[in-house]
Structures are given as structure tokens and as C-alpha cells.
Amino acid sequence: MSSVPLGVESVEKGSVPLLGVLISGRGSNLQGFVTAIDEGKLRAGIAVVISNVSDAGGLAIARGAGIESLVMPHRAHDSRDAYDRALVDALRERGVQLVCLAGFMRLLGPVFCGAFPSAVLNIHPSLLPSFPGTDAQRQAIDRGVKVSGATVHFVTTELDAGPIVSQRAVPVLDDDTPETLAARVLTVEHEIYAEAVERILWEPWHITGRRVVFGSRA
Ligand code: GRF
């Protein structure tokens, strides 16, 4: 079986790689992981779900699935570095090997990214590099594009600019609102995020420049 320089190779035989999922809201992408794991499409475990928002809907999803959940409000920390360090400690204590941001509305700095090199993924509701940042669906409609979609990418300290793992397009319809487009994109998000995590965990890949190349480690 192939694996990647994520530490998966160091997982004991018979056990699965562990994810940490960071959320701020409703958690439908978290639910997508839970479903994919249940269906055997994603060979991983979720060690912990961390929310920076105490009433995030995704916390109930974690509880319902029997996954440990933590509320870690960023405001409890004096600086971004201090918050990043607290997150890193919580994830490391639980043996997390791949961190998946799923609607986590917080920028991660060099302390976090440095602690998990090439091991933090995010899902974004546009075809990056178009429309980074918040309100991506509104940006797409306002710009008049006919096609948008979803992107899974590695997280770097530059917002929504890390190497792209996977993308899938959806049409933008003439009568779309940000809400109708978001719903169409979300369906695709749930498909490609779990698929991308499975590939990153279990296929050989490497990064060259900004490109994620599957099929070999170098
Ligand atoms: C998704 O649209 C995701 O692309 C963006 O935030 C939203 C989170 O949705 N980063 P959910 O909390 O996973 O339902």
C-alpha cells in the first residue's frame, strides 16, 4: 500500500490515519467526512473536531458521531501565534496527521502551518485562484462568470493560495443568487473533499512549485 510523507507510514499496522477537523459553523463538510468514512470511501478516523465558535452547528454532528469535540475560542488568546500554538498542541496530543479545515473562519499563521507542513487542507467554494476570501459565490455572480465550483487546496499562510489538490466545476445560472449557487457548489464540495482527503492519505504525491502531482513521491 502506498502512503505519503504525512506520517501515515508511521501509523501502526491495522490502524487508520487520524484527521483533525476545524470548523466554525454548520459542519456539512464534516458530515460529508463522517458519511464517507461510514461508507468506506474514506479510510481515516476523525480524532477531534475543534470549533472556534461555541454554538457551531457542526459540534452536534461531532457529538452525534461519537467524535471528541473541543470549543477553542480564538478570543481567549492574546495573539494569532498563541492561538495557533494551542490548536497545534490539541491536535498533536490526539495524534492528528492531517488537518482539514471545513468552514473554519480563521486565518492560520506560520506557527500552525509550520507545525503541519503540507498536512493542512481546506475547501473553498470557488474555482481558485478566482474569488478567494469570503463571499466567493457572490463574487462569482457579481463578476458574471458562467462556471464556478469548488477547490480543495493545501493551506499556506497566504489566504486561499496553497497548492490545489482537486477542483470541480458547476454552472452558474442566469437566475442564480449567492444562496442557490452556494447550494449547488456545496453538493460538489461534499463529493470532492472526502475524495481528495482519501487520495492525499493513500496515494503517492508530491508538490512541485504550486502543483500537486499524484503518482509518485518525487
Ligand atoms: C463551505 O462552503 C466551505 O467551502 C467554506 O465554508 C463553508 C462551510 O460549510 N469554506 P460547512 O460548515 O461545511 O457546511
Coordinates of all heavy atoms in Angstrom, one line a residue, residues 25-30 102-103 122-125 137 186 189, ligand 1:
G25 N -18.8 26.6 11.8 CA -20.3 26.8 11.5 C -21.0 25.4 11.4 O -20.8 24.5 12.2
R26 N -21.8 25.4 10.4 CA -22.8 24.3 10.3 C -22.2 22.9 10.1 O -22.8 21.9 10.6 CB -23.7 24.7 9.1 CG -24.0 23.8 8.0 CD -24.5 24.6 6.8 NE -23.4 24.9 5.9 CZ -23.6 25.4 4.7 NH1 -24.8 25.8 4.3 NH2 -22.5 25.6 4.0
G27 N -21.1 22.8 9.5 CA -20.4 21.5 9.5 C -20.9 20.5 8.5 O -20.7 19.3 8.7
S28 N -21.4 20.9 7.4 CA -21.9 19.9 6.4 C -20.7 19.2 5.8 O -20.8 18.0 5.4 CB -22.8 20.6 5.3 OG -22.0 21.4 4.5
N29 N -19.6 19.8 5.6 CA -18.4 19.1 5.1 C -17.9 18.1 6.1 O -17.4 17.0 5.7 CB -17.3 20.1 4.7 CG -17.6 20.7 3.3 OD1 -17.4 20.0 2.3 ND2 -18.0 21.9 3.3
L30 N -18.0 18.4 7.4 CA -17.7 17.5 8.5 C -18.6 16.2 8.3 O -18.2 15.1 8.3 CB -17.9 18.1 9.8 CG -17.9 17.1 11.0 CD1 -16.5 16.4 11.2 CD2 -18.2 17.9 12.3
A102 N -12.8 23.0 7.6 CA -14.2 22.8 7.0 C -15.1 23.9 7.4 O -15.8 23.8 8.4 CB -14.7 21.4 7.4
G103 N -14.9 25.0 6.7 CA -15.7 26.2 7.1 C -15.1 26.9 8.4 O -15.8 27.4 9.2
N122 N -7.9 22.6 2.9 CA -9.1 23.5 3.0 C -10.0 23.3 1.8 O -9.5 22.9 0.7 CB -8.7 25.0 3.1 CG -9.9 25.9 3.3 OD1 -10.8 25.6 4.1 ND2 -9.9 27.0 2.6
I123 N -11.3 23.5 2.0 CA -12.2 23.5 0.9 C -12.7 24.9 0.7 O -13.1 25.6 1.7 CB -13.4 22.5 1.1 CG1 -14.4 22.5 0.0 CG2 -14.2 22.8 2.4 CD1 -14.2 21.5 -1.0
H124 N -12.7 25.4 -0.6 CA -13.2 26.7 -0.9 C -14.2 26.7 -2.0 O -14.1 26.0 -2.9 CB -12.0 27.6 -1.3 CG -12.3 29.0 -1.6 ND1 -12.5 29.9 -0.5 CD2 -12.6 29.7 -2.7 CE1 -12.8 31.1 -1.0 NE2 -12.9 31.0 -2.3
P125 N -15.3 27.5 -1.8 CA -16.4 27.4 -2.7 C -16.3 28.3 -4.0 O -17.2 29.0 -4.4 CB -17.6 27.9 -1.9 CG -17.0 28.9 -0.9 CD -15.6 28.4 -0.7
Q137 N -19.2 33.0 -3.6 CA -20.3 32.8 -4.5 C -20.9 34.1 -5.0 O -21.2 34.3 -6.2 CB -21.5 31.9 -3.9 CG -21.0 30.6 -3.5 CD -20.5 30.5 -2.0 OE1 -20.2 31.5 -1.4 NE2 -20.5 29.3 -1.5
L186 N -22.1 23.4 -2.9 CA -21.9 22.6 -1.7 C -22.0 21.1 -1.9 O -21.2 20.3 -1.4 CB -22.9 23.0 -0.6 CG -22.7 22.6 0.8 CD1 -21.4 23.2 1.4 CD2 -23.8 23.0 1.7
E189 N -18.8 20.2 -3.2 CA -17.8 20.2 -2.1 C -17.7 18.9 -1.3 O -16.7 18.3 -1.1 CB -18.1 21.3 -1.1 CG -17.9 22.7 -1.6 CD -18.2 23.8 -0.5 OE1 -17.8 23.5 0.7 OE2 -18.7 24.8 -0.8
Ligands
GRF1 C1 -18.3 25.8 2.7 O1 -18.9 26.5 1.6 C2 -16.8 25.9 2.5 O2 -16.4 25.8 1.2 C3 -16.4 27.2 3.1 O3 -17.2 27.3 4.2 C4 -18.4 26.6 4.0 C5 -18.5 25.7 5.2 O4 -19.7 24.9 5.2 N1 -15.0 27.2 3.4 P1 -20.0 23.8 6.2 O5 -19.8 24.4 7.6 O6 -19.0 22.7 5.9 O7 -21.4 23.4 6.0

